[in-house]
Amino acid sequence: MSDERPTSDADAAKDALDEVRATDADAWAKACAEDLAAEKARRRVQNGQPPGSAAEELRKLVDAVADKLTGLQSPLLGAVAGGAAQQMVNQVVQQAKAAVEPVIERNPDVFDHLATAGSELLAAYRSAVEAQERRWTTRDTAQGPRDEGTGPGEHIDLD
């Protein structure tokens, strides 16, 4: 007699049902992943590339400013000094890029944290300003029309 248990029709049906459920779950996950990828591609086409990390955005900014400065022609310096001035601008731009690049490479997370902190500070400031504006507007409407005069002082009859 073997140790294997004879399979009944009920056990076989249960095994087949479990296999179908596993296949359905895999198909559902695959379909969701495909839909998500298609939606991301559609938004990328519609809106352009999403912004990268703060370090990548800083690197792009430095490159854009450097390109703009190196392409700038100064009519005030004249033709003779223009070449020397352009060479000096290129040298300054290269030095600035050489100074910024290692900092970005060593500390990319720092720029993400600074960007997050800046966003939170802006949100706190916006909240404070809105609260103050709300106090100003409710104070004016709650008191009704004001008497003549400029302050909350008391009227004294001098007669």
Side-chain angles (χ1 to χ4, degrees), residues 59-84:
R59 187 174 287 123
K60 288 179 187 177
L61 175 66
V62 168
D63 289 340
V65 170
D67 290 344
K68 192 69 169 176
L69 286 175
T70 55
L72 201 66
Q73 297 290 330
S74 178
L76 299 175
L77 297 175
V80 175

Side-chain angles (χ1 to χ4, degrees), residues 55-125:
E56 291 171 3
E57 293 300 312
L58 179 60
R59 187 174 287 123
K60 288 179 187 177
L61 175 66
V62 168
D63 289 340
V65 170
D67 290 344
K68 192 69 169 176
L69 286 175
T70 55
L72 201 66
Q73 297 290 330
S74 178
L76 299 175
L77 297 175
V80 175
Q86 189 67 30
Q87 190 176 23
M88 188 175 76
V89 167
N90 289 341
Q91 184 179 3
V92 169
V93 166
Q94 292 303 321
Q95 287 175 347
K97 284 176 77 172
V100 170
E101 197 65 35
V103 174
I104 294 172
E105 288 177 11
R106 280 193 308 258
N107 308 309
D109 293 340
V110 170
F111 294 102
D112 290 332
H113 292 299
L114 288 174
T116 302
S119 297
E120 290 176 6
L121 283 172
L122 181 62
Y125 175 76

Side-chain angles (χ1 to χ4, degrees), residues 4-5 13 24 27 35 38 40-41 47 53-54 70 76 87 92 103 108 123 133 155 159:
E4 292 183 20
R5 191 179 83 191
D24 287 345
D35 288 347
K40 284 181 179 180
N47 301 328
S53 69
T70 55
L76 299 175
Q87 190 176 23
V92 169
V103 174
E133 287 175 347
H155 180 69
D159 289 332

